Tab-separated table of all heavy atoms in Angstrom:
chain	number	residue	atom	x	y	z
G	28	THR	N	48.011	125.448	137.028
G	28	THR	CA	48.156	125.515	138.468
G	28	THR	C	47.116	124.610	139.111
G	28	THR	O	45.957	124.610	138.703
G	28	THR	CB	47.947	126.962	138.982
G	28	THR	OG1	48.844	127.828	138.289
G	28	THR	CG2	48.192	127.066	140.479
G	29	ALA	N	47.545	123.857	140.111
G	29	ALA	CA	46.636	123.012	140.891
G	29	ALA	C	46.820	123.359	142.366
G	29	ALA	O	47.929	123.634	142.814
G	29	ALA	CB	46.934	121.536	140.661
G	30	ALA	N	45.711	123.352	143.088
G	30	ALA	CA	45.756	123.592	144.526
G	30	ALA	C	45.946	122.261	145.251
G	30	ALA	O	45.357	121.251	144.864
G	30	ALA	CB	44.470	124.254	144.999
G	31	LEU	N	46.768	122.273	146.272
G	31	LEU	CA	46.937	121.101	147.127
G	31	LEU	C	46.449	121.483	148.516
G	31	LEU	O	47.006	122.372	149.155
G	31	LEU	CB	48.404	120.662	147.190
G	31	LEU	CG	48.712	119.517	148.161
G	31	LEU	CD1	47.972	118.234	147.744
G	31	LEU	CD2	50.207	119.268	148.235
G	32	LEU	N	45.370	120.833	148.961
G	32	LEU	CA	44.817	121.079	150.293
G	32	LEU	C	45.379	120.047	151.258
G	32	LEU	O	45.190	118.844	151.068
G	32	LEU	CB	43.287	120.947	150.282
G	32	LEU	CG	42.486	121.814	149.327
G	32	LEU	CD1	40.999	121.528	149.487
G	32	LEU	CD2	42.775	123.275	149.543
G	33	LEU	N	46.079	120.527	152.267
G	33	LEU	CA	46.639	119.651	153.297
G	33	LEU	C	46.327	120.248	154.667
G	33	LEU	O	46.245	121.472	154.810
G	33	LEU	CB	48.163	119.557	153.161
G	33	LEU	CG	48.729	118.823	151.967
G	33	LEU	CD1	50.249	118.887	151.986
G	33	LEU	CD2	48.263	117.382	151.946
G	34	PRO	N	46.202	119.394	155.690
G	34	PRO	CA	45.963	119.928	157.029
G	34	PRO	C	47.104	120.831	157.518
G	34	PRO	O	46.862	121.865	158.130
G	34	PRO	CB	45.851	118.677	157.899
G	34	PRO	CG	45.403	117.611	156.962
G	34	PRO	CD	46.073	117.934	155.653
G	35	ASN	N	48.345	120.449	157.250
G	35	ASN	CA	49.504	121.267	157.624
G	35	ASN	C	50.744	120.680	156.972
G	35	ASN	O	50.668	119.660	156.292
G	35	ASN	CB	49.674	121.340	159.151
G	35	ASN	CG	49.923	119.985	159.777
G	35	ASN	OD1	50.800	119.238	159.359
G	35	ASN	ND2	49.137	119.648	160.799
G	36	THR	N	51.864	121.316	157.198
G	36	THR	CA	53.130	120.766	156.701
G	36	THR	C	54.079	120.484	157.855
G	36	THR	O	55.260	120.224	157.634
G	36	THR	CB	53.804	121.716	155.684
G	36	THR	OG1	53.935	123.006	156.274
G	36	THR	CG2	53.022	121.796	154.398
G	37	GLN	N	53.552	120.530	159.075
G	37	GLN	CA	54.371	120.197	160.242
G	37	GLN	C	54.564	118.690	160.375
G	37	GLN	O	55.638	118.242	160.750
G	37	GLN	CB	53.733	120.747	161.515
G	37	GLN	CG	53.799	122.252	161.601
G	37	GLN	CD	53.113	122.771	162.850
G	37	GLN	OE1	52.047	122.298	163.220
G	37	GLN	NE2	53.736	123.742	163.490
G	38	ALA	N	53.507	117.946	160.077
G	38	ALA	CA	53.610	116.490	160.153
G	38	ALA	C	54.483	116.003	158.997
G	38	ALA	O	54.274	116.405	157.843
G	38	ALA	CB	52.218	115.860	160.074
G	39	PRO	N	55.461	115.164	159.258
G	39	PRO	CA	56.365	114.692	158.203
G	39	PRO	C	55.637	114.071	157.009
G	39	PRO	O	56.044	114.284	155.871
G	39	PRO	CB	57.259	113.669	158.911
G	39	PRO	CG	57.233	114.082	160.339
G	39	PRO	CD	55.857	114.653	160.579
G	40	PHE	N	54.553	113.335	157.264
G	40	PHE	CA	53.820	112.724	156.148
G	40	PHE	C	53.259	113.785	155.211
G	40	PHE	O	53.405	113.679	153.995
G	40	PHE	CB	52.675	111.832	156.661
G	40	PHE	CG	51.814	111.313	155.540
G	40	PHE	CD1	52.262	110.291	154.712
G	40	PHE	CD2	50.569	111.879	155.291
G	40	PHE	CE1	51.476	109.828	153.653
G	40	PHE	CE2	49.783	111.420	154.241
G	40	PHE	CZ	50.234	110.395	153.427
G	41	PHE	N	52.628	114.817	155.770
G	41	PHE	CA	52.034	115.868	154.935
G	41	PHE	C	53.114	116.649	154.182
G	41	PHE	O	52.942	117.006	153.012
G	41	PHE	CB	51.184	116.823	155.772
G	41	PHE	CG	50.008	116.183	156.448
G	41	PHE	CD1	49.620	116.594	157.706
G	41	PHE	CD2	49.276	115.171	155.834
G	41	PHE	CE1	48.525	116.015	158.344
G	41	PHE	CE2	48.183	114.588	156.460
G	41	PHE	CZ	47.806	115.006	157.724
G	42	ALA	N	54.230	116.903	154.843
G	42	ALA	CA	55.339	117.618	154.192
G	42	ALA	C	55.902	116.801	153.035
G	42	ALA	O	56.136	117.329	151.939
G	42	ALA	CB	56.431	117.935	155.208
G	43	ALA	N	56.094	115.509	153.265
G	43	ALA	CA	56.612	114.634	152.203
G	43	ALA	C	55.609	114.525	151.060
G	43	ALA	O	55.997	114.517	149.877
G	43	ALA	CB	56.926	113.250	152.765
G	44	LEU	N	54.342	114.459	151.381
G	44	LEU	CA	53.301	114.395	150.351
G	44	LEU	C	53.314	115.658	149.500
G	44	LEU	O	53.265	115.592	148.266
G	44	LEU	CB	51.929	114.185	150.994
G	44	LEU	CG	50.754	114.082	150.029
G	44	LEU	CD1	50.902	112.884	149.097
G	44	LEU	CD2	49.447	113.990	150.817
G	45	ALA	N	53.402	116.813	150.151
G	45	ALA	CA	53.452	118.083	149.416
G	45	ALA	C	54.651	118.110	148.470
G	45	ALA	O	54.544	118.520	147.314
G	45	ALA	CB	53.520	119.259	150.388
G	46	TYR	N	55.782	117.653	148.945
G	46	TYR	CA	57.004	117.617	148.132
G	46	TYR	C	56.808	116.735	146.898
G	46	TYR	O	57.128	117.139	145.776
G	46	TYR	CB	58.173	117.114	148.988
G	46	TYR	CG	59.455	116.982	148.219
G	46	TYR	CD1	60.204	118.101	147.886
G	46	TYR	CD2	59.925	115.729	147.825
G	46	TYR	CE1	61.390	117.974	147.163
G	46	TYR	CE2	61.097	115.591	147.117
G	46	TYR	CZ	61.829	116.721	146.787
G	46	TYR	OH	62.992	116.603	146.071
G	47	GLN	N	56.269	115.539	147.093
G	47	GLN	CA	56.090	114.602	145.984
G	47	GLN	C	55.026	115.078	144.990
G	47	GLN	O	55.204	114.935	143.775
G	47	GLN	CB	55.741	113.201	146.512
G	47	GLN	CG	56.864	112.541	147.281
G	47	GLN	CD	58.135	112.362	146.452
G	47	GLN	OE1	58.091	112.093	145.255
G	47	GLN	NE2	59.275	112.510	147.098
G	48	VAL	N	53.939	115.644	145.482
G	48	VAL	CA	52.909	116.176	144.585
G	48	VAL	C	53.501	117.325	143.764
G	48	VAL	O	53.279	117.416	142.551
G	48	VAL	CB	51.653	116.628	145.369
G	48	VAL	CG1	50.713	117.443	144.488
G	48	VAL	CG2	50.930	115.423	145.961
G	49	ASN	N	54.274	118.192	144.415
G	49	ASN	CA	54.900	119.304	143.700
G	49	ASN	C	55.827	118.790	142.601
G	49	ASN	O	55.802	119.300	141.474
G	49	ASN	CB	55.661	120.201	144.671
G	49	ASN	CG	56.155	121.460	144.008
G	49	ASN	OD1	55.396	122.161	143.343
G	49	ASN	ND2	57.426	121.754	144.183
G	50	LEU	N	56.638	117.769	142.896
G	50	LEU	CA	57.527	117.198	141.877
G	50	LEU	C	56.727	116.650	140.695
G	50	LEU	O	57.092	116.868	139.533
G	50	LEU	CB	58.382	116.073	142.471
G	50	LEU	CG	59.539	116.478	143.368
G	50	LEU	CD1	60.272	115.232	143.878
G	50	LEU	CD2	60.497	117.401	142.649
G	51	ALA	N	55.642	115.929	140.987
G	51	ALA	CA	54.816	115.354	139.922
G	51	ALA	C	54.196	116.458	139.062
G	51	ALA	O	54.142	116.344	137.834
G	51	ALA	CB	53.728	114.470	140.518
G	52	LEU	N	53.751	117.533	139.698
G	52	LEU	CA	53.162	118.640	138.938
G	52	LEU	C	54.218	119.351	138.094
G	52	LEU	O	53.970	119.694	136.936
G	52	LEU	CB	52.468	119.619	139.882
G	52	LEU	CG	51.170	119.121	140.515
G	52	LEU	CD1	50.706	120.066	141.620
G	52	LEU	CD2	50.082	118.944	139.473
G	53	LEU	N	55.396	119.576	138.672
G	53	LEU	CA	56.470	120.251	137.930
G	53	LEU	C	56.859	119.481	136.669
G	53	LEU	O	57.144	120.088	135.633
G	53	LEU	CB	57.695	120.452	138.822
G	53	LEU	CG	57.588	121.542	139.881
G	53	LEU	CD1	58.792	121.497	140.819
G	53	LEU	CD2	57.449	122.914	139.243
G	54	LYS	N	56.865	118.144	136.752
G	54	LYS	CA	57.198	117.323	135.585
G	54	LYS	C	56.199	117.533	134.455
G	54	LYS	O	56.514	117.278	133.296
G	54	LYS	CB	57.235	115.842	135.966
G	54	LYS	CG	58.442	115.460	136.771
G	54	LYS	CD	58.421	113.986	137.131
G	54	LYS	CE	59.587	113.634	138.020
G	54	LYS	NZ	59.537	112.240	138.468
G	55	ARG	N	55.009	117.993	134.802
G	55	ARG	CA	53.959	118.242	133.806
G	55	ARG	C	53.783	119.736	133.532
G	55	ARG	O	52.781	120.161	132.991
G	55	ARG	CB	52.652	117.620	134.293
G	55	ARG	CG	52.708	116.101	134.302
G	55	ARG	CD	51.665	115.499	135.227
G	55	ARG	NE	51.747	114.038	135.238
G	55	ARG	CZ	52.615	113.331	135.959
G	55	ARG	NH1	53.496	113.937	136.727
G	55	ARG	NH2	52.617	112.015	135.923
G	56	SER	N	54.774	120.523	133.957
G	56	SER	CA	54.785	121.983	133.777
G	56	SER	C	53.630	122.676	134.488
G	56	SER	O	53.099	123.679	134.000
G	56	SER	CB	54.787	122.347	132.293
G	56	SER	OG	55.932	121.831	131.666
G	57	TYR	N	53.244	122.139	135.634
G	57	TYR	CA	52.210	122.759	136.465
G	57	TYR	C	52.839	123.374	137.699
G	57	TYR	O	53.872	122.926	138.180
G	57	TYR	CB	51.176	121.713	136.910
G	57	TYR	CG	50.047	121.535	135.936
G	57	TYR	CD1	50.225	120.820	134.761
G	57	TYR	CD2	48.805	122.089	136.188
G	57	TYR	CE1	49.195	120.659	133.859
G	57	TYR	CE2	47.758	121.930	135.285
G	57	TYR	CZ	47.969	121.220	134.128
G	57	TYR	OH	46.945	121.076	133.233
G	58	ARG	N	52.174	124.397	138.213
G	58	ARG	CA	52.545	125.009	139.476
G	58	ARG	C	51.610	124.465	140.550
G	58	ARG	O	50.491	124.051	140.261
G	58	ARG	CB	52.372	126.523	139.406
G	58	ARG	CG	53.255	127.190	138.364
G	58	ARG	CD	52.909	128.646	138.231
G	58	ARG	NE	51.626	128.774	137.538
G	58	ARG	CZ	51.375	129.626	136.558
G	58	ARG	NH1	52.303	130.448	136.160
G	58	ARG	NH2	50.201	129.680	135.988
G	59	MET	N	52.071	124.529	141.786
G	59	MET	CA	51.252	124.057	142.903
G	59	MET	C	50.980	125.213	143.857
G	59	MET	O	51.906	125.938	144.244
G	59	MET	CB	51.965	122.938	143.657
G	59	MET	CG	51.158	122.386	144.819
G	59	MET	SD	52.030	121.068	145.696
G	59	MET	CE	53.117	122.029	146.743
G	60	LEU	N	49.725	125.376	144.216
G	60	LEU	CA	49.330	126.330	145.231
G	60	LEU	C	49.061	125.523	146.502
G	60	LEU	O	48.105	124.744	146.552
G	60	LEU	CB	48.069	127.085	144.795
G	60	LEU	CG	47.474	128.056	145.806
G	60	LEU	CD1	48.452	129.186	146.098
G	60	LEU	CD2	46.169	128.617	145.271
G	61	LEU	N	49.928	125.661	147.490
G	61	LEU	CA	49.798	124.899	148.723
G	61	LEU	C	48.848	125.621	149.666
G	61	LEU	O	49.039	126.792	149.987
G	61	LEU	CB	51.166	124.724	149.388
G	61	LEU	CG	51.179	123.998	150.733
G	61	LEU	CD1	50.621	122.577	150.595
G	61	LEU	CD2	52.596	123.959	151.282
G	62	CYS	N	47.822	124.903	150.110
G	62	CYS	CA	46.804	125.465	150.994
G	62	CYS	C	46.743	124.628	152.267
G	62	CYS	O	46.263	123.494	152.243
G	62	CYS	CB	45.440	125.456	150.312
G	62	CYS	SG	45.399	126.302	148.719
G	63	CYS	N	47.260	125.161	153.359
G	63	CYS	CA	47.233	124.450	154.641
G	63	CYS	C	45.962	124.844	155.386
G	63	CYS	O	45.730	126.020	155.652
G	63	CYS	CB	48.472	124.787	155.462
G	63	CYS	SG	49.983	124.150	154.710
G	64	THR	N	45.171	123.835	155.751
G	64	THR	CA	43.838	124.075	156.307
G	64	THR	C	43.760	123.972	157.824
G	64	THR	O	42.756	124.343	158.406
G	64	THR	CB	42.843	123.066	155.713
G	64	THR	OG1	43.213	121.756	156.145
G	64	THR	CG2	42.825	123.141	154.196
G	65	ASP	N	44.786	123.417	158.457
G	65	ASP	CA	44.812	123.228	159.905
G	65	ASP	C	43.561	122.493	160.399
G	65	ASP	O	43.011	122.811	161.442
G	65	ASP	CB	44.983	124.566	160.622
G	65	ASP	CG	45.554	124.411	162.018
G	65	ASP	OD1	46.270	123.413	162.255
G	65	ASP	OD2	45.272	125.262	162.873
G	66	PHE	N	43.101	121.539	159.608
G	66	PHE	CA	41.937	120.702	159.933
G	66	PHE	C	40.649	121.523	160.078
G	66	PHE	O	39.700	121.078	160.711
G	66	PHE	CB	42.178	119.876	161.209
G	66	PHE	CG	43.300	118.902	161.089
G	66	PHE	CD1	44.578	119.241	161.508
G	66	PHE	CD2	43.096	117.641	160.550
G	66	PHE	CE1	45.628	118.335	161.403
G	66	PHE	CE2	44.140	116.724	160.439
G	66	PHE	CZ	45.409	117.078	160.863
G	67	ASP	N	40.611	122.707	159.496
G	67	ASP	CA	39.452	123.605	159.598
G	67	ASP	C	38.586	123.433	158.355
G	67	ASP	O	38.978	123.844	157.260
G	67	ASP	CB	39.955	125.044	159.736
G	67	ASP	CG	38.846	126.078	159.844
G	67	ASP	OD1	37.715	125.822	159.402
G	67	ASP	OD2	39.146	127.166	160.368
G	68	SER	N	37.395	122.849	158.509
G	68	SER	CA	36.536	122.579	157.352
G	68	SER	C	36.078	123.872	156.679
G	68	SER	O	35.902	123.906	155.459
G	68	SER	CB	35.330	121.731	157.764
G	68	SER	OG	34.571	122.382	158.751
G	69	GLY	N	35.885	124.933	157.444
G	69	GLY	CA	35.508	126.220	156.852
G	69	GLY	C	36.615	126.771	155.975
G	69	GLY	O	36.365	127.313	154.891
G	70	LEU	N	37.845	126.623	156.421
G	70	LEU	CA	38.997	127.082	155.642
G	70	LEU	C	39.165	126.236	154.386
G	70	LEU	O	39.490	126.754	153.309
G	70	LEU	CB	40.263	127.053	156.500
G	70	LEU	CG	41.506	127.719	155.938
G	70	LEU	CD1	41.231	129.152	155.506
G	70	LEU	CD2	42.632	127.674	156.963
G	71	GLU	N	38.922	124.934	154.505
G	71	GLU	CA	38.970	124.061	153.326
G	71	GLU	C	38.000	124.568	152.264
G	71	GLU	O	38.342	124.662	151.088
G	71	GLU	CB	38.610	122.621	153.699
G	71	GLU	CG	39.676	121.898	154.460
G	71	GLU	CD	39.251	120.489	154.874
G	71	GLU	OE1	38.078	120.119	154.678
G	71	GLU	OE2	40.115	119.760	155.380
G	72	GLN	N	36.788	124.905	152.686
G	72	GLN	CA	35.779	125.386	151.739
G	72	GLN	C	36.204	126.707	151.110
G	72	GLN	O	36.001	126.937	149.923
G	72	GLN	CB	34.424	125.535	152.442
G	72	GLN	CG	33.258	125.701	151.483
G	72	GLN	CD	33.068	124.486	150.588
G	72	GLN	OE1	32.844	123.374	151.046
G	72	GLN	NE2	33.178	124.687	149.288
G	73	LYS	N	36.826	127.582	151.908
G	73	LYS	CA	37.312	128.861	151.366
G	73	LYS	C	38.385	128.638	150.302
G	73	LYS	O	38.427	129.326	149.284
G	73	LYS	CB	37.842	129.757	152.485
G	73	LYS	CG	36.757	130.367	153.327
G	73	LYS	CD	37.337	131.251	154.410
G	73	LYS	CE	36.219	131.813	155.274
G	73	LYS	NZ	36.740	132.646	156.364
G	74	TYR	N	39.275	127.660	150.547
G	74	TYR	CA	40.317	127.369	149.561
G	74	TYR	C	39.715	126.790	148.274
G	74	TYR	O	40.188	127.087	147.174
G	74	TYR	CB	41.363	126.409	150.125
G	74	TYR	CG	42.391	127.073	151.008
G	74	TYR	CD1	42.736	126.511	152.235
G	74	TYR	CD2	43.049	128.240	150.619
G	74	TYR	CE1	43.696	127.103	153.051
G	74	TYR	CE2	43.999	128.834	151.420
G	74	TYR	CZ	44.321	128.266	152.630
G	74	TYR	OH	45.272	128.855	153.426
C-alpha cells in the first residue's frame, strides 16, 4: 500500500493524477490510500 497525498480531487489535474497513479500501483499489485489535504500543511503532516 502506498499513500498518495493530493490537495484535492476537485481539480481535474489532481483527479487525473490520482487515477493514473492508482493504475500504475495496481499494475504492481499495490493498493493506494488517497489522502486529500485541502492545501493544509498540518493535515499533510498527519497523513
Side-chain angles (χ1 to χ4, degrees):
T28 305
L31 175 63
L32 303 180
L33 291 178
N35 62 51
T36 54
Q37 290 178 318
F40 174 75
F41 298 144
L44 181 62
Y46 177 76
Q47 293 301 324
V48 168
N49 188 50
L50 285 180
L52 289 170
L53 286 172
K54 286 179 184 176
R55 292 159 181 81
S56 299
Y57 272 76
R58 298 173 287 225
M59 181 180 81
L60 176 64
L61 177 60
C62 304
C63 293
T64 65
D65 203 27
F66 297 94
D67 180 337
S68 59
L70 190 53
E71 287 177 353
Q72 194 63 60
K73 286 180 182 178
Y74 280 133

